[in-house]
mmCIF file of all heavy atoms in Angstrom:
data_model
loop_
_atom_site.group_PDB
_atom_site.id
_atom_site.type_symbol
_atom_site.label_atom_id
_atom_site.label_comp_id
_atom_site.label_asym_id
_atom_site.label_seq_id
_atom_site.Cartn_x
_atom_site.Cartn_y
_atom_site.Cartn_z
ATOM 1 N N ILE L 1 -12.023 -22.001 29.935
ATOM 2 C CA ILE L 1 -12.248 -21.471 28.579
ATOM 3 C C ILE L 1 -13.201 -20.283 28.622
ATOM 4 O O ILE L 1 -13.006 -19.282 27.944
ATOM 5 C CB ILE L 1 -12.804 -22.573 27.653
ATOM 6 C CG1 ILE L 1 -11.737 -23.655 27.440
ATOM 7 C CG2 ILE L 1 -13.240 -21.983 26.314
ATOM 8 C CD1 ILE L 1 -12.221 -24.840 26.638
ATOM 9 N N GLY L 2 -14.252 -20.382 29.483
ATOM 10 C CA GLY L 2 -15.255 -19.329 29.538
ATOM 11 C C GLY L 2 -16.117 -19.345 28.286
ATOM 12 O O GLY L 2 -16.205 -20.345 27.578
ATOM 13 N N GLY L 3 -16.756 -18.236 27.993
ATOM 14 C CA GLY L 3 -17.568 -18.163 26.783
ATOM 15 C C GLY L 3 -16.712 -18.221 25.536
ATOM 16 O O GLY L 3 -15.714 -17.503 25.422
ATOM 17 N N LEU L 4 -17.085 -19.053 24.589
ATOM 18 C CA LEU L 4 -16.293 -19.217 23.371
ATOM 19 C C LEU L 4 -16.346 -18.004 22.447
ATOM 20 O O LEU L 4 -15.454 -17.820 21.627
ATOM 21 C CB LEU L 4 -16.765 -20.453 22.600
ATOM 22 C CG LEU L 4 -16.232 -21.818 23.045
ATOM 23 C CD1 LEU L 4 -16.814 -22.895 22.159
ATOM 24 C CD2 LEU L 4 -14.705 -21.848 22.974
ATOM 25 N N GLN L 5 -17.372 -17.181 22.604
ATOM 26 C CA GLN L 5 -17.550 -16.081 21.656
ATOM 27 C C GLN L 5 -16.355 -15.141 21.656
ATOM 28 O O GLN L 5 -15.990 -14.581 20.612
ATOM 29 C CB GLN L 5 -18.829 -15.307 21.993
ATOM 30 C CG GLN L 5 -19.182 -14.216 20.992
ATOM 31 C CD GLN L 5 -19.294 -14.747 19.567
ATOM 32 O OE1 GLN L 5 -19.890 -15.789 19.325
ATOM 33 N NE2 GLN L 5 -18.698 -14.030 18.614
ATOM 34 N N ARG L 6 -15.713 -14.958 22.803
ATOM 35 C CA ARG L 6 -14.589 -14.022 22.850
ATOM 36 C C ARG L 6 -13.420 -14.481 21.987
ATOM 37 O O ARG L 6 -12.579 -13.684 21.576
ATOM 38 C CB ARG L 6 -14.125 -13.816 24.295
ATOM 39 C CG ARG L 6 -13.503 -15.032 24.964
ATOM 40 C CD ARG L 6 -13.357 -14.793 26.453
ATOM 41 N NE ARG L 6 -12.735 -15.923 27.147
ATOM 42 C CZ ARG L 6 -11.495 -15.931 27.603
ATOM 43 N NH1 ARG L 6 -10.732 -14.866 27.427
ATOM 44 N NH2 ARG L 6 -10.997 -16.966 28.222
ATOM 45 N N TYR L 7 -13.346 -15.791 21.699
ATOM 46 C CA TYR L 7 -12.281 -16.293 20.824
ATOM 47 C C TYR L 7 -12.593 -16.043 19.355
ATOM 48 O O TYR L 7 -11.707 -16.071 18.509
ATOM 49 C CB TYR L 7 -12.069 -17.787 21.051
ATOM 50 C CG TYR L 7 -11.632 -18.140 22.453
ATOM 51 C CD1 TYR L 7 -12.555 -18.492 23.418
ATOM 52 C CD2 TYR L 7 -10.289 -18.113 22.815
ATOM 53 C CE1 TYR L 7 -12.158 -18.810 24.711
ATOM 54 C CE2 TYR L 7 -9.881 -18.427 24.093
ATOM 55 C CZ TYR L 7 -10.829 -18.778 25.040
ATOM 56 O OH TYR L 7 -10.436 -19.082 26.314
ATOM 57 N N PHE L 8 -13.867 -15.826 19.040
ATOM 58 C CA PHE L 8 -14.258 -15.534 17.657
ATOM 59 C C PHE L 8 -14.139 -14.050 17.322
ATOM 60 O O PHE L 8 -13.983 -13.686 16.156
ATOM 61 C CB PHE L 8 -15.714 -15.956 17.416
ATOM 62 C CG PHE L 8 -15.915 -17.437 17.261
ATOM 63 C CD1 PHE L 8 -16.343 -18.213 18.327
ATOM 64 C CD2 PHE L 8 -15.676 -18.064 16.051
ATOM 65 C CE1 PHE L 8 -16.540 -19.572 18.182
ATOM 66 C CE2 PHE L 8 -15.872 -19.428 15.892
ATOM 67 C CZ PHE L 8 -16.302 -20.186 16.974
ATOM 68 N N ASP L 9 -14.211 -13.192 18.342
ATOM 69 C CA ASP L 9 -14.362 -11.754 18.107
ATOM 70 C C ASP L 9 -13.176 -11.102 17.405
ATOM 71 O O ASP L 9 -13.369 -10.412 16.396
ATOM 72 C CB ASP L 9 -14.657 -11.043 19.428
ATOM 73 C CG ASP L 9 -16.077 -11.332 19.910
ATOM 74 O OD1 ASP L 9 -16.901 -11.736 19.073
ATOM 75 O OD2 ASP L 9 -16.344 -11.154 21.109
ATOM 76 N N PRO L 10 -11.946 -11.208 17.896
ATOM 77 C CA PRO L 10 -10.865 -10.474 17.218
ATOM 78 C C PRO L 10 -10.571 -11.067 15.847
ATOM 79 O O PRO L 10 -10.479 -12.294 15.694
ATOM 80 C CB PRO L 10 -9.671 -10.659 18.167
ATOM 81 C CG PRO L 10 -9.957 -11.916 18.915
ATOM 82 C CD PRO L 10 -11.446 -11.979 19.048
ATOM 83 N N PRO L 11 -10.416 -10.257 14.817
ATOM 84 C CA PRO L 11 -10.100 -10.788 13.479
ATOM 85 C C PRO L 11 -8.699 -11.391 13.454
ATOM 86 O O PRO L 11 -7.831 -11.043 14.256
ATOM 87 C CB PRO L 11 -10.194 -9.558 12.581
ATOM 88 C CG PRO L 11 -9.956 -8.399 13.500
ATOM 89 C CD PRO L 11 -10.520 -8.787 14.823
ATOM 90 N N LYS L 12 -8.481 -12.302 12.540
ATOM 91 C CA LYS L 12 -7.197 -12.980 12.405
ATOM 92 C C LYS L 12 -6.552 -12.569 11.086
ATOM 93 O O LYS L 12 -7.224 -12.503 10.055
ATOM 94 C CB LYS L 12 -7.397 -14.502 12.432
ATOM 95 C CG LYS L 12 -6.109 -15.316 12.298
ATOM 96 C CD LYS L 12 -6.415 -16.797 12.305
ATOM 97 C CE LYS L 12 -5.161 -17.623 12.091
ATOM 98 N NZ LYS L 12 -4.192 -17.467 13.185
ATOM 99 N N TYR L 13 -5.261 -12.298 11.150
ATOM 100 C CA TYR L 13 -4.556 -11.904 9.925
ATOM 101 C C TYR L 13 -4.210 -13.147 9.115
ATOM 102 O O TYR L 13 -3.570 -14.073 9.589
ATOM 103 C CB TYR L 13 -3.278 -11.142 10.265
ATOM 104 C CG TYR L 13 -2.580 -10.599 9.040
ATOM 105 C CD1 TYR L 13 -3.082 -9.483 8.370
ATOM 106 C CD2 TYR L 13 -1.429 -11.209 8.550
ATOM 107 C CE1 TYR L 13 -2.450 -8.982 7.244
ATOM 108 C CE2 TYR L 13 -0.791 -10.711 7.419
ATOM 109 C CZ TYR L 13 -1.313 -9.604 6.771
ATOM 110 O OH TYR L 13 -0.692 -9.117 5.655
ATOM 111 N N ASP L 14 -4.664 -13.173 7.873
ATOM 112 C CA ASP L 14 -4.419 -14.294 6.966
ATOM 113 C C ASP L 14 -3.185 -13.971 6.127
ATOM 114 O O ASP L 14 -3.199 -13.073 5.275
ATOM 115 C CB ASP L 14 -5.642 -14.506 6.063
ATOM 116 C CG ASP L 14 -5.566 -15.821 5.315
ATOM 117 O OD1 ASP L 14 -4.452 -16.222 4.923
ATOM 118 O OD2 ASP L 14 -6.626 -16.451 5.119
ATOM 119 N N LYS L 15 -2.088 -14.688 6.366
ATOM 120 C CA LYS L 15 -0.838 -14.413 5.660
ATOM 121 C C LYS L 15 -0.945 -14.715 4.173
ATOM 122 O O LYS L 15 -0.324 -14.037 3.346
ATOM 123 C CB LYS L 15 0.297 -15.231 6.276
ATOM 124 C CG LYS L 15 0.639 -14.832 7.703
ATOM 125 C CD LYS L 15 1.783 -15.660 8.249
ATOM 126 C CE LYS L 15 2.139 -15.256 9.673
ATOM 127 N NZ LYS L 15 3.238 -16.080 10.232
ATOM 128 N N LYS L 16 -1.718 -15.734 3.811
ATOM 129 C CA LYS L 16 -1.832 -16.098 2.401
ATOM 130 C C LYS L 16 -2.608 -15.037 1.620
ATOM 131 O O LYS L 16 -2.253 -14.684 0.496
ATOM 132 C CB LYS L 16 -2.504 -17.459 2.267
ATOM 133 C CG LYS L 16 -1.661 -18.614 2.802
ATOM 134 C CD LYS L 16 -2.365 -19.945 2.583
ATOM 135 C CE LYS L 16 -1.508 -21.100 3.077
ATOM 136 N NZ LYS L 16 -2.178 -22.412 2.891
ATOM 137 N N ARG L 17 -3.684 -14.551 2.207
ATOM 138 C CA ARG L 17 -4.528 -13.564 1.523
ATOM 139 C C ARG L 17 -4.097 -12.129 1.816
ATOM 140 O O ARG L 17 -4.644 -11.189 1.231
ATOM 141 C CB ARG L 17 -5.981 -13.767 1.923
ATOM 142 C CG ARG L 17 -6.518 -15.149 1.550
ATOM 143 C CD ARG L 17 -7.941 -15.324 2.016
ATOM 144 N NE ARG L 17 -8.460 -16.658 1.695
ATOM 145 C CZ ARG L 17 -9.665 -17.088 2.027
ATOM 146 N NH1 ARG L 17 -10.482 -16.294 2.711
ATOM 147 N NH2 ARG L 17 -10.054 -18.306 1.707
ATOM 148 N N ASN L 18 -3.192 -11.971 2.776
ATOM 149 C CA ASN L 18 -2.650 -10.658 3.120
ATOM 150 C C ASN L 18 -3.749 -9.693 3.579
ATOM 151 O O ASN L 18 -3.799 -8.523 3.178
ATOM 152 C CB ASN L 18 -1.883 -10.064 1.930
ATOM 153 C CG ASN L 18 -0.974 -8.918 2.354
ATOM 154 O OD1 ASN L 18 -0.492 -8.894 3.497
ATOM 155 N ND2 ASN L 18 -0.745 -7.966 1.463
ATOM 156 N N ARG L 19 -4.628 -10.206 4.418
ATOM 157 C CA ARG L 19 -5.702 -9.375 4.962
ATOM 158 C C ARG L 19 -6.273 -10.038 6.216
ATOM 159 O O ARG L 19 -6.002 -11.202 6.490
ATOM 160 C CB ARG L 19 -6.813 -9.165 3.932
ATOM 161 C CG ARG L 19 -7.530 -10.439 3.520
ATOM 162 C CD ARG L 19 -8.635 -10.139 2.527
ATOM 163 N NE ARG L 19 -9.292 -11.334 2.023
ATOM 164 C CZ ARG L 19 -10.275 -11.963 2.661
ATOM 165 N NH1 ARG L 19 -10.722 -11.517 3.832
ATOM 166 N NH2 ARG L 19 -10.830 -13.042 2.136
ATOM 167 N N TYR L 20 -7.053 -9.270 6.971
ATOM 168 C CA TYR L 20 -7.717 -9.809 8.151
ATOM 169 C C TYR L 20 -9.008 -10.518 7.734
ATOM 170 O O TYR L 20 -9.665 -10.131 6.767
ATOM 171 C CB TYR L 20 -8.046 -8.694 9.146
ATOM 172 C CG TYR L 20 -6.851 -8.213 9.934
ATOM 173 C CD1 TYR L 20 -6.105 -7.115 9.492
ATOM 174 C CD2 TYR L 20 -6.469 -8.848 11.104
ATOM 175 C CE1 TYR L 20 -5.000 -6.678 10.211
ATOM 176 C CE2 TYR L 20 -5.368 -8.419 11.834
ATOM 177 C CZ TYR L 20 -4.637 -7.335 11.384
ATOM 178 O OH TYR L 20 -3.557 -6.911 12.096
ATOM 179 N N ARG L 21 -9.352 -11.537 8.460
ATOM 180 C CA ARG L 21 -10.587 -12.282 8.218
ATOM 181 C C ARG L 21 -11.207 -12.691 9.555
ATOM 182 O O ARG L 21 -10.566 -12.625 10.604
ATOM 183 C CB ARG L 21 -10.309 -13.544 7.390
ATOM 184 C CG ARG L 21 -9.372 -14.539 8.060
ATOM 185 C CD ARG L 21 -9.353 -15.868 7.334
ATOM 186 N NE ARG L 21 -8.375 -16.792 7.899
ATOM 187 C CZ ARG L 21 -8.569 -17.528 8.983
ATOM 188 N NH1 ARG L 21 -9.714 -17.428 9.656
ATOM 189 N NH2 ARG L 21 -7.633 -18.358 9.428
ATOM 190 N N SER L 22 -12.453 -13.132 9.510
ATOM 191 C CA SER L 22 -13.128 -13.609 10.711
ATOM 192 C C SER L 22 -12.541 -14.956 11.138
ATOM 193 O O SER L 22 -12.115 -15.754 10.291
ATOM 194 C CB SER L 22 -14.629 -13.751 10.452
ATOM 195 O OG SER L 22 -15.193 -12.506 10.095
ATOM 196 N N ARG L 23 -12.544 -15.192 12.404
ATOM 197 C CA ARG L 23 -12.013 -16.463 12.912
ATOM 198 C C ARG L 23 -13.042 -17.576 12.743
ATOM 199 O O ARG L 23 -14.245 -17.360 12.894
ATOM 200 C CB ARG L 23 -11.646 -16.337 14.393
ATOM 201 C CG ARG L 23 -10.437 -15.433 14.633
ATOM 202 C CD ARG L 23 -10.128 -15.292 16.110
ATOM 203 N NE ARG L 23 -9.009 -14.382 16.316
ATOM 204 C CZ ARG L 23 -7.756 -14.759 16.531
ATOM 205 N NH1 ARG L 23 -7.472 -16.051 16.595
ATOM 206 N NH2 ARG L 23 -6.808 -13.880 16.709
ATOM 207 N N ASN L 24 -12.541 -18.782 12.448
ATOM 208 C CA ASN L 24 -13.410 -19.943 12.350
ATOM 209 C C ASN L 24 -13.184 -20.859 13.552
ATOM 210 O O ASN L 24 -12.389 -20.559 14.443
ATOM 211 C CB ASN L 24 -13.174 -20.687 11.027
ATOM 212 C CG ASN L 24 -11.706 -21.057 10.839
ATOM 213 O OD1 ASN L 24 -11.007 -21.449 11.787
ATOM 214 N ND2 ASN L 24 -11.212 -20.930 9.613
ATOM 215 N N LEU L 25 -13.884 -21.983 13.555
ATOM 216 C CA LEU L 25 -13.824 -22.883 14.706
ATOM 217 C C LEU L 25 -12.434 -23.477 14.891
ATOM 218 O O LEU L 25 -11.995 -23.719 16.023
ATOM 219 C CB LEU L 25 -14.858 -24.007 14.539
ATOM 220 C CG LEU L 25 -15.195 -24.806 15.810
ATOM 221 C CD1 LEU L 25 -15.740 -23.894 16.897
ATOM 222 C CD2 LEU L 25 -16.199 -25.911 15.492
ATOM 223 N N ARG L 26 -11.720 -23.701 13.794
ATOM 224 C CA ARG L 26 -10.354 -24.217 13.901
ATOM 225 C C ARG L 26 -9.429 -23.198 14.565
ATOM 226 O O ARG L 26 -8.543 -23.565 15.335
ATOM 227 C CB ARG L 26 -9.835 -24.590 12.516
ATOM 228 C CG ARG L 26 -8.428 -25.219 12.539
ATOM 229 C CD ARG L 26 -8.392 -26.460 13.429
ATOM 230 N NE ARG L 26 -7.063 -26.993 13.561
ATOM 231 C CZ ARG L 26 -6.557 -27.930 12.734
ATOM 232 N NH1 ARG L 26 -7.299 -28.411 11.743
ATOM 233 N NH2 ARG L 26 -5.341 -28.380 12.920
ATOM 234 N N ASP L 27 -9.646 -21.925 14.268
ATOM 235 C CA ASP L 27 -8.852 -20.875 14.918
ATOM 236 C C ASP L 27 -9.115 -20.851 16.418
ATOM 237 O O ASP L 27 -8.195 -20.651 17.219
ATOM 238 C CB ASP L 27 -9.188 -19.509 14.318
ATOM 239 C CG ASP L 27 -8.815 -19.404 12.850
ATOM 240 O OD1 ASP L 27 -7.772 -19.982 12.465
ATOM 241 O OD2 ASP L 27 -9.564 -18.758 12.092
ATOM 242 N N VAL L 28 -10.373 -21.040 16.792
ATOM 243 C CA VAL L 28 -10.716 -21.069 18.215
ATOM 244 C C VAL L 28 -10.068 -22.272 18.889
ATOM 245 O O VAL L 28 -9.540 -22.174 20.004
ATOM 246 C CB VAL L 28 -12.250 -21.103 18.390
ATOM 247 C CG1 VAL L 28 -12.628 -21.271 19.859
ATOM 248 C CG2 VAL L 28 -12.874 -19.837 17.823
ATOM 249 N N GLU L 29 -10.099 -23.417 18.212
ATOM 250 C CA GLU L 29 -9.441 -24.614 18.748
ATOM 251 C C GLU L 29 -7.956 -24.352 18.993
ATOM 252 O O GLU L 29 -7.408 -24.699 20.054
ATOM 253 C CB GLU L 29 -9.618 -25.778 17.781
ATOM 254 C CG GLU L 29 -8.862 -27.040 18.196
ATOM 255 C CD GLU L 29 -8.804 -28.073 17.092
ATOM 256 O OE1 GLU L 29 -9.680 -28.040 16.198
ATOM 257 O OE2 GLU L 29 -7.879 -28.909 17.112
ATOM 258 N N ASP L 30 -7.299 -23.724 18.022
ATOM 259 C CA ASP L 30 -5.871 -23.412 18.168
ATOM 260 C C ASP L 30 -5.626 -22.451 19.324
ATOM 261 O O ASP L 30 -4.637 -22.572 20.056
ATOM 262 C CB ASP L 30 -5.325 -22.816 16.872
ATOM 263 C CG ASP L 30 -5.288 -23.831 15.734
ATOM 264 O OD1 ASP L 30 -5.330 -25.040 16.027
ATOM 265 O OD2 ASP L 30 -5.236 -23.415 14.564
ATOM 266 N N ALA L 31 -6.529 -21.478 19.490
ATOM 267 C CA ALA L 31 -6.372 -20.505 20.573
ATOM 268 C C ALA L 31 -6.514 -21.169 21.936
ATOM 269 O O ALA L 31 -5.752 -20.866 22.866
ATOM 270 C CB ALA L 31 -7.404 -19.387 20.417
ATOM 271 N N VAL L 32 -7.468 -22.075 22.070
ATOM 272 C CA VAL L 32 -7.659 -22.785 23.342
ATOM 273 C C VAL L 32 -6.457 -23.676 23.630
ATOM 274 O O VAL L 32 -5.960 -23.733 24.771
ATOM 275 C CB VAL L 32 -8.963 -23.609 23.299
ATOM 276 C CG1 VAL L 32 -9.058 -24.534 24.513
ATOM 277 C CG2 VAL L 32 -10.169 -22.681 23.244
ATOM 278 N N ALA L 33 -5.972 -24.382 22.604
ATOM 279 C CA ALA L 33 -4.800 -25.241 22.796
ATOM 280 C C ALA L 33 -3.580 -24.412 23.190
ATOM 281 O O ALA L 33 -2.786 -24.827 24.049
ATOM 282 C CB ALA L 33 -4.514 -26.020 21.509
ATOM 283 N N LYS L 34 -3.443 -23.247 22.579
ATOM 284 C CA LYS L 34 -2.311 -22.378 22.907
ATOM 285 C C LYS L 34 -2.424 -21.867 24.336
ATOM 286 O O LYS L 34 -1.417 -21.773 25.053
ATOM 287 C CB LYS L 34 -2.261 -21.215 21.919
ATOM 288 C CG LYS L 34 -0.945 -20.450 21.931
ATOM 289 C CD LYS L 34 -0.877 -19.473 20.771
ATOM 290 C CE LYS L 34 0.482 -18.783 20.719
ATOM 291 N NZ LYS L 34 0.580 -17.856 19.568
ATOM 292 N N MET L 35 -3.627 -21.539 24.766
ATOM 293 C CA MET L 35 -3.825 -21.081 26.140
ATOM 294 C C MET L 35 -3.448 -22.172 27.143
ATOM 295 O O MET L 35 -2.930 -21.889 28.227
ATOM 296 C CB MET L 35 -5.284 -20.653 26.349
ATOM 297 C CG MET L 35 -5.549 -20.075 27.734
ATOM 298 S SD MET L 35 -7.175 -19.306 27.884
ATOM 299 C CE MET L 35 -8.245 -20.739 27.780
ATOM 300 N N ALA L 36 -3.683 -23.427 26.768
ATOM 301 C CA ALA L 36 -3.342 -24.548 27.636
ATOM 302 C C ALA L 36 -1.877 -24.969 27.518
ATOM 303 O O ALA L 36 -1.429 -25.881 28.213
ATOM 304 C CB ALA L 36 -4.245 -25.744 27.324
ATOM 305 N N GLY L 37 -1.135 -24.320 26.617
ATOM 306 C CA GLY L 37 0.273 -24.687 26.426
ATOM 307 C C GLY L 37 0.464 -25.925 25.586
ATOM 308 O O GLY L 37 1.533 -26.529 25.592
ATOM 309 N N LEU L 38 -0.559 -26.311 24.830
ATOM 310 C CA LEU L 38 -0.479 -27.507 23.993
ATOM 311 C C LEU L 38 -0.092 -27.117 22.565
ATOM 312 O O LEU L 38 -0.842 -27.331 21.610
ATOM 313 C CB LEU L 38 -1.815 -28.257 24.012
ATOM 314 C CG LEU L 38 -2.258 -28.758 25.387
ATOM 315 C CD1 LEU L 38 -3.682 -29.303 25.327
ATOM 316 C CD2 LEU L 38 -1.307 -29.828 25.910
ATOM 317 N N TRP L 39 1.070 -26.505 22.427
ATOM 318 C CA TRP L 39 1.567 -26.157 21.095
ATOM 319 C C TRP L 39 3.086 -26.146 21.143
ATOM 320 O O TRP L 39 3.695 -26.024 22.196
ATOM 321 C CB TRP L 39 0.990 -24.832 20.613
ATOM 322 C CG TRP L 39 1.474 -23.614 21.328
ATOM 323 C CD1 TRP L 39 1.281 -23.303 22.635
ATOM 324 C CD2 TRP L 39 2.244 -22.545 20.780
ATOM 325 N NE1 TRP L 39 1.860 -22.108 22.942
ATOM 326 C CE2 TRP L 39 2.468 -21.606 21.830
ATOM 327 C CE3 TRP L 39 2.757 -22.268 19.512
ATOM 328 C CZ2 TRP L 39 3.190 -20.438 21.638
ATOM 329 C CZ3 TRP L 39 3.474 -21.099 19.323
ATOM 330 C CH2 TRP L 39 3.671 -20.194 20.372
ATOM 331 N N TRP L 40 3.663 -26.295 19.953
ATOM 332 C CA TRP L 40 5.100 -26.460 19.806
ATOM 333 C C TRP L 40 5.614 -25.390 18.843
ATOM 334 O O TRP L 40 5.521 -25.534 17.613
ATOM 335 C CB TRP L 40 5.408 -27.851 19.280
ATOM 336 C CG TRP L 40 5.039 -28.937 20.239
ATOM 337 C CD1 TRP L 40 5.880 -29.613 21.065
ATOM 338 C CD2 TRP L 40 3.722 -29.481 20.474
ATOM 339 N NE1 TRP L 40 5.186 -30.533 21.815
ATOM 340 C CE2 TRP L 40 3.861 -30.477 21.469
ATOM 341 C CE3 TRP L 40 2.455 -29.222 19.962
ATOM 342 C CZ2 TRP L 40 2.790 -31.216 21.955
ATOM 343 C CZ3 TRP L 40 1.381 -29.948 20.444
ATOM 344 C CH2 TRP L 40 1.556 -30.931 21.428
ATOM 345 N N PRO L 41 6.158 -24.268 19.349
ATOM 346 C CA PRO L 41 6.590 -23.175 18.468
ATOM 347 C C PRO L 41 7.713 -23.603 17.525
ATOM 348 O O PRO L 41 8.567 -24.427 17.893
ATOM 349 C CB PRO L 41 7.089 -22.110 19.463
ATOM 350 C CG PRO L 41 6.510 -22.486 20.779
ATOM 351 C CD PRO L 41 6.370 -23.966 20.772
ATOM 352 N N ARG L 42 7.712 -23.028 16.324
ATOM 353 C CA ARG L 42 8.789 -23.256 15.370
ATOM 354 C C ARG L 42 10.048 -22.546 15.843
ATOM 355 O O ARG L 42 9.999 -21.533 16.532
ATOM 356 C CB ARG L 42 8.404 -22.739 13.994
ATOM 357 C CG ARG L 42 7.332 -23.533 13.284
ATOM 358 C CD ARG L 42 7.036 -22.902 11.940
ATOM 359 N NE ARG L 42 8.238 -22.797 11.101
ATOM 360 C CZ ARG L 42 8.302 -22.076 9.995
ATOM 361 N NH1 ARG L 42 7.248 -21.366 9.605
ATOM 362 N NH2 ARG L 42 9.410 -22.040 9.284
ATOM 363 N N SER L 43 11.188 -23.098 15.440
ATOM 364 C CA SER L 43 12.473 -22.470 15.728
ATOM 365 C C SER L 43 13.312 -22.523 14.457
ATOM 366 O O SER L 43 13.797 -23.581 14.057
ATOM 367 C CB SER L 43 13.196 -23.196 16.879
ATOM 368 O OG SER L 43 14.449 -22.615 17.134
#
């Protein structure tokens, strides 16, 4: 994982609000899970 701060740095596009926002801890959790391949893409 390394330092967690790098997962907070890039802004995340919020589809509901139609703008970029700062990442929260849940976003970081999702990013780490995605890096580990622990996610199931929609089809």
Side-chain angles (χ1 to χ4, degrees):
I1 293 175
L4 278 180
Q5 185 56 44
R6 67 192 181 106
Y7 298 94
F8 284 98
D9 287 340
K12 180 181 177 64
Y13 185 75
D14 192 324
K15 294 181 179 179
K16 293 182 178 179
R17 299 178 181 178
N18 197 29
R19 64 179 176 83
Y20 283 94
R21 62 169 175 81
S22 300
R23 291 178 182 261
N24 54 39
L25 196 59
R26 183 57 185 269
D27 296 324
V28 174
E29 175 192 337
D30 292 341
V32 170
K34 195 170 184 178
M35 184 170 69
L38 299 172
W39 70 296
W40 295 259
R42 290 179 57 193
S43 178

